[in-house]
Amino acid sequence: MAYLELRGLKKNFSDVVALEQLDLAVGAGEFLTLLGPSGCGKTTALRIVAGFEHPDAGTVVLEDRDITHLSASRRNMGMVFQAYSLFPNMTAEENVMFGLRLRKVPQDEQKRRVGRLFDLIGLARARTRYPHQLSGGQQQRVALARALAIEPRVLLLDEPLSALDARVRVQLREEIRRIQTNLGITALYVTHDQEEALSISDRIAVMSAGRIEQLGTASEIYGSPATPFVAEFVGTMNRLTGEVVDGGESIVDCRGLQLRVTAVQGLPRRQRVLVLVRPESVEVTALGDGEAPAGTLVGQVTSHSFLGAITRIKIAAESGADLAADVQSARAGAFPIGVRVACRFAAESPSVLKLDDA
């Protein structure tokens, strides 16, 4: 049973549609991420859950109770913002205690909770420091502890890592996930960073234009994108349009070249499809002057991008399509710019989306 539900949420700002019929269910103790580009409605959805915005239509239900019109102060939600929003005239400890004092929590209980949280975030020695004496990552840890101190029913995080440098972002996202798992708290997380979402979420809702394009686990979102938007937004994807020649034999025609694509099995003949292949699933062989094997895309290497353990090479196919393929950097020298190559898709790797016949 869902712990938190968003049912049919709609929200407009003047003539701009922020949310359009948004439905979402979050389980107790789940870490669910709203992922999408700027302006897709993910922060608006979070603010509606928090009570900072009110929907034009739809309801927010928490533990089977409609809280749509409940004030933010009565929802007992913990919120972590992109900006750390710490009080500059208070120490780290005083910042964390702030919400507890407002709620008139007994002093002994305040000390117990604050002590535990500073141990949890690894800043026990920084309790008496002021925000300007802390690094960005430390300030965000204190902001997280402050949100958790009130023992919220749901932890809401709005792009909490976007102001930090890359290395600190990776460290802190792992810390956030560890703390959330340790406490067993339900969390709703907003980000535009696909790597961030894929690495820490139980499930991900990919959003576009106020709607959820796909909801699923990281492996489902990455490996089986449901729409062209998801395929483009989450990771790099090669896109090849084609037509099913023989669904039983898994043959699809891409610009005159017949390829075997298991994912088209069962589709009717002449069905237009979009074949989606990740760069890591493209196998590349240097041809030189030799003949290309049947069922491969032939092209010429046009560029290299060094990405550490792998190098991404771009290939201009003779059929007119452009491909990206990932190879081990140790092997990249075998594919210099200008060399003729044959490309084959790893077995079972492509995803296929049906296209309208129009």
Side-chain angles (χ1 to χ4, degrees):
M1 183 178 294
Y3 180 76
L4 171 68
E5 288 185 85
L6 314 184
R7 299 175 180 172
L9 291 188
K10 295 184 179 181
K11 182 67 178 180
N12 292 355
F13 294 102
S14 298
D15 58 345
V16 177
V17 178
L19 294 177
E20 186 174 357
Q21 199 65 33
L22 184 75
D23 295 289
L24 183 66
V26 186
E30 182 176 22
F31 194 113
L32 192 144
T33 297
L34 301 178
L35 171 67
S38 297
C40 71
K42 56 190 186 296
T43 292
T44 299
L46 198 75
R47 290 177 61 83
I48 288 174
V49 173
F52 300 148
E53 300 281 357
H54 295 286
D56 298 330
T59 56
V60 179
V61 178
L62 182 64
E63 293 186 286
D64 293 326
R65 181 189 177 194
D66 186 342
I67 63 169
T68 311
H69 303 292
L70 200 65
S71 67
S73 61
R74 297 178 60 196
R75 295 192 185 196
N76 196 33
M77 302 280 186
M79 188 87 178
V80 182
F81 301 93
Q82 176 179 342
Y84 317 128
S85 303
L86 299 179
F87 298 110
N89 61 328
M90 294 184 184
T91 64
E93 183 176 58
E94 290 167 341
N95 266 281
V96 175
M97 281 186 176
F98 182 77
L100 300 176
R101 287 175 176 167
L102 284 182
R103 288 164 174 77
K104 302 187 185 304
V105 174
Q107 270 199 337
D108 288 348
E109 178 62 12
Q110 287 186 36
K111 290 179 180 178
R112 185 191 69 80
R113 290 194 202 178
V114 171
R116 182 192 176 200
L117 285 168
F118 271 97
D119 286 340
L120 202 59
I121 65 173
L123 288 178
R125 296 182 179 180
R127 293 169 62 153
T128 59
R129 295 182 191 171
Y130 288 88
H132 73 272
Q133 296 173 315
L134 301 172
S135 69
Q138 289 173 328
Q139 288 185 61
Q140 197 61 296
R141 281 183 167 89
V142 173
L144 176 62
R146 184 178 61 183
L148 292 170
I150 62 171
E151 297 184 347
R153 300 162 82 183
V154 181
L155 178 63
L156 306 173
L157 304 105
D158 186 13
E159 302 269 11
L161 308 180
S162 59
L164 303 172
D165 65 59
R167 184 173 181 179
V168 175
R169 276 204 308 271
V170 172
Q171 292 174 340
L172 194 49
R173 77 190 185 200
E174 293 171 353
E175 285 295 295
I176 288 173
R177 181 57 162 150
R178 177 185 64 80
I179 291 167
Q180 181 268 338
T181 302
N182 185 297
L183 298 177
I185 192 170
T186 303
L188 191 59
Y189 190 97
V190 161
T191 185
H192 66 275
D193 187 321
Q194 53 177 286
E195 182 182 332
E196 199 171 285
L198 293 170
S199 66
I200 62 176
S201 310
D202 290 317
R203 286 190 301 157
I204 301 166
V206 182
M207 293 185 62
S208 172
R211 291 179 174 272
I212 292 176
E213 292 268 335
Q214 186 174 358
L215 176 64
T217 63
S219 60
E220 290 168 345
I221 296 291
Y222 187 83
S224 302
T227 68
F229 174 83
V230 176
E232 289 286 340
F233 189 75
V234 181
T236 301
M237 187 71 83
N238 292 302
R239 296 160 53 100
L240 299 169
T241 56
E243 186 176 274
V244 176
V245 175
D246 188 334
E249 294 296 324
S250 306
I251 304 298
V252 60
D253 183 280
C254 290
R255 303 191 184 192
L257 179 66
Q258 294 194 350
L259 302 173
R260 187 174 298 278
V261 179
T262 306
V264 303
Q265 279 189 350
L267 293 181
R269 186 173 177 273
R270 304 195 68 179
Q271 169 69 57
R272 294 179 64 246
V273 294
L274 182 63
V275 180
L276 305 169
V277 192
R278 297 286 181 193
E280 62 266 28
S281 296
V282 179
E283 300 172 351
V284 185
T285 304
L287 286 178
D289 297 326
E291 288 293 322
T296 60
L297 285 170
V298 179
Q300 190 175 56
V301 174
T302 59
S303 69
H304 284 193
S305 296
F306 179 74
L307 302 175
I310 65 162
T311 292
R312 181 161 295 162
I313 62 175
K314 294 290 182 68
I315 299 155
E318 293 174 358
S319 62
D322 289 326
L323 289 176
D326 289 347
V327 299
Q328 293 294 318
S329 291
R331 294 183 56 236
F335 308 106
I337 293 174
V339 73
R340 190 164 167 263
V341 295
C343 302
R344 187 192 302 277
F345 305 148
E348 309 294 333
S349 63
S351 297
V352 167
L353 298 178
K354 293 182 183 178
L355 296 175
D356 295 334
D357 291 328

